[in-house]
Structures are given as C-alpha cells and as structure tokens.
Amino acid sequence: RRRDSRVQAVKRPGDNPFAVQRVLEIRSRLPPGLTWEDLLDRLAALRWRAAIVGPHGHGKTTLLEDLAPRIAARGFRVRTVSLREARPRLDRTDEEMIQSLGPGDVLLVDGAEQLGWLSWTAVRLRTRRAGGLVITSHQPGLLPTLFECQTSPELLAGIVEELSGDDLDAGELLARHCGNVRDALRELYDRWAGQ
C-alpha cells in the first residue's frame, strides 16, 4: 500500500479567526463624529451618573470596559460589578465595596437590569457618596442615557474583515441574529469550524 503523500490540514479551534480570544481583542467603535473625549464630557455633564443601553450583543460591555481606563485617567478610582443571568445579585464582597465608595470612586455596573427594583434602589442610594455610577442596561430608564449602542451591517462587516480578512455582506447575517453581533460571530465561528 502506498501512503497518500497529501497531508490534510488539521483545524485547531485556536486557528479559527472567530475564536473567543480573537473576538475579545475587538474594541468599541464609536460612531463617526463622536470621540472618547466627547463621551467623557457628556458623562461629566450628567455628573458621572449614566447608562449605556442596548439589546444583547450590541457592545455595551465592551464600551463600558473601554470607558473604564478613560474615567480613571480623569482622576477617579474605577470599581466594577458584573451581573449576569447566572449571577443576578450582588454578593457580600460587592456590597462591602459599594459601602466603601467615596467621592473619588466611580462604580461601573455591567448588567444592572438583572437587579430587582429593591436591589437597584439600594445601589442608587448607597452610591450617592460615590463620584459616579455608570451602568449597562437593555432598556433606558434606570439612569440618564449616556450612549445607546447600535449595530449595523457595516459594523459587522468591518469586524469580520479585521478578524479574517474576508469581505462579508453582513446584512442578512445580522438580521437573522436581530442585530446581535456576538451571536453573528458565533455563527461564523461554527461555519469556519465546519468547513
């Protein structure tokens, strides 16, 4: 028997251009005409108490993460709490940290919509002494809106090009996922893995 001299390339998950570690390297893209300084000036005008709003997969968490060092550069100590469906409550460590906040601290709460009304009211009251409170939420109303995250086929196409070098007509893919870029990128990960 002769062995086939052709070697098939083995696909490894880390080679996937849409692997999680590569996707996490993609950072916030502000709309044309809006700079980080503009956003920080808006936040300052709102007395450092505001919400980043938008549906699942529209970039709220990434924007909050990218805002954190810029808030710190303005002289604040940034403290964070991240809530999810699997962890919808503040734990004891969070509670103690919130109690210790002072005028030099800005608290960032990712997933504030997870808190019930009573817990949210407690957070608002306990952070009155803090220098600021910035949250993410799926709906407006908890705090004044700083920024509403929106996606577009052009945004997704730009991310895909950056990750894979491919030119993608992203309109149908993004529509199928109701504007959720994260879910669209997961589909592209699965497509690449199945090739």
Side-chain angles (χ1 to χ4, degrees):
R1 282 188 184 176
R2 262 180 36 190
R3 271 183 93 171
D4 190 347
S5 61
R6 292 175 295 175
V7 176
Q8 288 189 343
V10 175
K11 285 190 173 188
R12 296 180 311 219
D15 294 337
N16 190 320
F18 305 103
V20 172
Q21 68 272 15
R22 299 212 46 218
V23 170
L24 290 176
E25 292 172 2
I26 302 295
R27 303 318 305 161
S28 295
R29 295 162 190 229
L30 297 177
L34 180 66
T35 67
W36 286 104
E37 285 304 311
D38 295 336
L39 199 61
L40 286 164
D41 289 345
R42 280 187 199 177
L43 184 54
L46 292 168
R47 297 182 179 179
W48 301 95
R49 297 181 186 282
I52 298 168
V53 299
H56 284 289
H58 280 60
K60 299 179 303 297
T61 298
T62 304
L63 182 61
L64 190 67
E65 290 170 354
D66 291 349
L67 195 56
R70 292 168 170 93
I71 292 172
R74 293 266 179 125
F76 291 102
R77 180 174 64 158
V78 175
R79 310 298 297 268
T80 61
V81 172
S82 184
L83 302 169
R84 298 284 176 265
E85 287 181 21
R87 184 187 178 257
R89 293 183 178 87
L90 300 171
D91 62 25
R92 178 181 231 168
T93 304
D94 296 331
E95 294 278 358
E96 290 170 357
M97 181 263 295
I98 290 170
Q99 290 289 350
S100 73
L101 296 174
D105 298 310
V106 172
L107 177 64
L108 308 181
V109 180
D110 188 21
E113 74 281 344
Q114 300 297 327
L115 295 171
W117 180 84
L118 194 57
S119 294
W120 169 243
T121 302
V123 167
R124 286 189 66 182
L125 289 173
R126 291 178 185 149
T127 58
R128 285 185 299 184
R129 291 186 315 268
L133 172 62
V134 183
I135 65 169
T136 66
S137 180
H138 294 138
Q139 300 293 326
L142 295 177
L143 289 174
T145 298
L146 171 66
F147 188 80
E148 185 172 348
C149 293
Q150 298 178 355
T151 59
S152 68
E154 295 78 22
L155 173 68
L156 178 57
I159 292 170
V160 169
E161 185 174 0
E162 185 175 331
L163 290 170
S164 68
D166 292 339
D167 186 20
L168 173 73
D169 181 7
E172 181 186 332
L173 177 62
L174 195 61
R176 188 166 53 253
H177 292 285
C178 301
N180 187 324
V181 169
R182 186 183 320 118
D183 286 350
L185 292 170
R186 283 184 186 134
E187 180 179 323
L188 292 171
Y189 176 92
D190 291 342
R191 277 192 207 172
W192 187 91
Q195 285 179 344

